[in-house]
């Protein structure tokens, strides 16, 4: 077991990951520098890996160095299958390359296991210390992967609004948010305010709390799995969560979900440690970060039962309730006393997102299919997803078969039951479908998958003659994971999955703010229909009057009331500019284009215009009416149309297929 830490968290993981990334880079011609660099990196990686594992074989089996090199060399022959990427049928197909890499890795692992059996020798007993230190490089790896995306994209509307509330608190302009319609509990906004006060307001600072929380969540999963199952499962669970593409992309956001998930995970860990008052406090803070923390209560109940407290369930529940009350009371006081003039955030949330109740029976199965389809992104690896689906039932069956040998089988059944409950509850309740709601499943899925991967070792635990093969399997599990997750992690580092924020939709919004600051005089009127929440953050404290318009007619009426003031309107790429321009033209107004903001690929993301009085006849309007609609991008999923108090008057998912989960 010690070799999970020795190999998975040492040079092997790093070099194999680099090889996997290089294999999926550009597929240009023979002289393509990117392809040549990838081939060179793969060759160097193979040589380094060969030398390292041969050295390990020589050291542990007592054979000479030259003999170890010769014996280990055939295990790399399966990787010659990667030459199949040059075949015209699969050239440029990253998925085919990944499958060939996985197949080569599996065959290589089998050959290495055979080599270890051949040079069989009693290997040293597992050393717990070799796994205790393993969590630190895993934490560093997880933190670096998440931190690398801190500036990957611009805020979506919700992130901008939450950060605006944090700015209001941090600057002292509105510490209680009495000027705002708030539809979320307050913990996250005040957390943002603390970070803004310490480090200054920016996108990166707004994302830092969730990045730190996500990295801390890896350590919490390690501690919880270690308490339930032992060090090998703990180390592998932490590694799986650290490399989860879903978790990687969810962390560098200013959504409430990552902080909520880590608080619920901390609550479960504290319950396992029989610190029930602290567990209740953490769960209360999680609920006051986001109300959907209530869906994790069954997992907390499982943790209480697994703690086997000598104090009894009654006293544990009492301490837990006291902790929850300590966390809830200040938030309730803030919501119902300090902000008494406003509706409760629960009422506002229900108005924005729809009533909280049971979904129609006919929508249950489509919703369940949508959730299950999105759940594949937790690993984003089809082989690992298939292993999870096939391995968990086997794990549960083996647990029942060997139930007299310990309590671990009960924890397996509890975690599997929680996963099933989570899907069924989210399918039965009538709130909207968002990918990020699945983040609360990531810790449980990581632990269950680790249990499945280590199941063969448990089954062979009493077979002494197979000890070398068991050790080889334990050593190669992290290598196998690195090969399977190298591609998905690479995609996640390019923000390639529909998780977290929007990758391209709002690129350039910071340039829009910079243009206004440098070119638009104070006192101007800035109309908005799509970007109100973005303006509230990116143009915080700008000396302009921001006016929301629900439709073109209201825009015309408001513009006519202020004929002597400068008036501006910015169109995102998904906005119907031609419709607005035609309506203004027929009303004697026109749009004068001032500046276009382009994405890195050259497409236009924003167009800044000034509204002016039109002079002349109606012929320009007739020309506009006869034009074909200008090409525009699709609207981003989710709430993007402003309302006077923010965005998304109707709330919800703006998508053609109501049973598809929206990104983010």
């Amino acid at each position: 077991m010690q070799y999970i830490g020795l190999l998975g968290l040492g040079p092997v993981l790093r070099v194999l990951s680099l090889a996997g990334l290089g294999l999926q880079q550009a597929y240009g011609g023979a002289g393509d520098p990117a392809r040549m660099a990838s081939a060179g990196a793969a060759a160097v990686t193979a040589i380094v890996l060969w030398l390292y594992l041969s050295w390990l074989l020589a050291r542990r089996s007592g054979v000479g160095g030259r003999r170890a090199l010769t014996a280990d060399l055939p295990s790399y022959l399966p990787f010659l299958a990667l030459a199949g990427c040059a075949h015209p049928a699969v050239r440029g197909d990253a998925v085919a390359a990944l499958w060939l890499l996985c197949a080569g890795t599996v065959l290589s692992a089998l050959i290495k296991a055979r080599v270890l059996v051949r040079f069989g020798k009693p290997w040293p007993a597992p050393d717990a210390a070799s796994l205790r230190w393993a969590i630190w490089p895993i934490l560093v790896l997880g933190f670096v992967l998440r931190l690398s995306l801190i500036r990957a994209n611009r805020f979506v509307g919700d992130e901008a609004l939450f950060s605006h509330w944090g700015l209001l608190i941090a600057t002292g302009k509105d510490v209680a948010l009495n000027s705002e319609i708030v539809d979320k509990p307050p913990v996250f906004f005040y957390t943002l305010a603390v970070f803004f006060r310490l480090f200054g307001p920016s996108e990166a600072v707004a994302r830092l709390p969730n990045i730190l929380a996500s990295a801390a969540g890896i350590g919490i999963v390690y501690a919880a799995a270690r308490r339930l199952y032992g060090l090998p499962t703990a180390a592998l669970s932490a590694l799986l969560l650290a490399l989860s593409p879903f978790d990687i992309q969810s962390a560098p956001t200013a959504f409430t979900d990552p902080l909520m998930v880590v608080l619920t995970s901390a609550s479960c860990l504290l319950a396992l440690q029989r610190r029930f008052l602290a567990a209740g406090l953490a769960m209360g803070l999680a609920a006051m970060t986001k109300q959907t923390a209530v869906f994790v209560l069954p997992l907390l109940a499982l943790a209480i039962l697994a703690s086997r407290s000598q104090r009894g369930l009654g006293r544990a529940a009492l301490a837990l309730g006291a902790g929850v009350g300590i966390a809830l009371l200040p938030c309730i006081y803030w919501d119902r006393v300090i902000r008494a003039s406003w509706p409760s955030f629960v009422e506002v949330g229900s108005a924005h997102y729809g009533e909280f109740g049971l979904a129609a029976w006919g929508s249950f199965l489509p919703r369940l299919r949508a959730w299950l389809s999105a759940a594949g992104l937790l690993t984003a690896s089809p082989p690992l997803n298939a292993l999870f689906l096939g391995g968990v039932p086997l794990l549960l069956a083996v647990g029942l078969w060997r139930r007299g040998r310990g309590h671990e089988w009960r924890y397996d059944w509890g975690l599997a039951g929680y996963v099933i409950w989570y899907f069924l509850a989210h399918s039965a309740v009538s709130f909207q479908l968002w990918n990020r709601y699945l983040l609360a499943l990531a810790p449980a899925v990581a632990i269950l998958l680790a249990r499945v991967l280590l199941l063969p070792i448990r089954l062979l635990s009493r077979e002494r003659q197979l000890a070398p093969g068991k050790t080889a399997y334990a050593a190669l599990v992290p290598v196998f994971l690195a090969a399977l997750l190298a591609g998905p992690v690479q995609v996640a580092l390019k923000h390639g999955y529909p998780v977290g924020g929007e990758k391209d939709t709002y690129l350039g919004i910071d340039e829009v703010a910079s243009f206004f600051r440098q070119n638009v005089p104070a006192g101007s009127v800035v109309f908005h229909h799509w970007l109100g929440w973005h303006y509230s953050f990116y143009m915080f404290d700008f000396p302009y009057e921001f006016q929301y318009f629900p439709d073109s007619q209201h825009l015309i009426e408001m513009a006519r009331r202020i004929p002597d003031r400068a008036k501006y309107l910015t169109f995102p790429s998904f906005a119907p500019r031609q419709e607005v321009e035609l309506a203004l033209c027929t009303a004697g107004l026109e749009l004068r284009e001032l500046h276009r903001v382009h994405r890195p690929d050259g497409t236009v993301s924003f167009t800044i215009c000034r509204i002016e009085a039109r002079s002349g006849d109606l012929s320009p309007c007739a020309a506009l009416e006869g034009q074909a609609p200008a090409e525009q991008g699709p609207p981003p999923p989710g709430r993007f149309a402003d309302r006077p108090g923010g965005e998304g008057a109707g709330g919800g998912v703006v998508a053609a297929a109501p049973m598809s989960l929206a990104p983010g």
Side-chain angles (χ1 to χ4, degrees), residues 246-270:
F246 195 100
D247 204 75
I248 290 172
Q249 279 193 209
S250 297
T253 64
F255 292 119
T256 55
D257 301 80
L259 182 60
M260 180 271 289
V261 170
V262 77
L263 286 171
T264 56
S265 300
S267 176
C268 294
L269 174 61
L270 291 167

Side-chain angles (χ1 to χ4, degrees), residues 506-509 512 531 570-572 595-597 604-608:
Y506 297 105
L507 283 180
I509 186 64
V512 171
L531 300 172
T570 300
F571 292 94
H595 183 66
R596 288 188 176 185
V597 178
V604 176
S605 56
F606 296 98
T607 304
I608 304 173

Side-chain angles (χ1 to χ4, degrees), residues 142-158:
F143 178 71
V144 169
L145 289 175
R146 287 150 179 77
L147 187 66
S148 66
L149 290 174
I150 196 168
R151 298 184 184 274
N153 48 40
R154 306 285 72 80
F155 282 158
V156 298
D158 297 74

Side-chain angles (χ1 to χ4, degrees), residues 103 149 222 279 310 347:
L149 290 174
Y222 170 85
Q310 302 299 321
E347 299 171 10

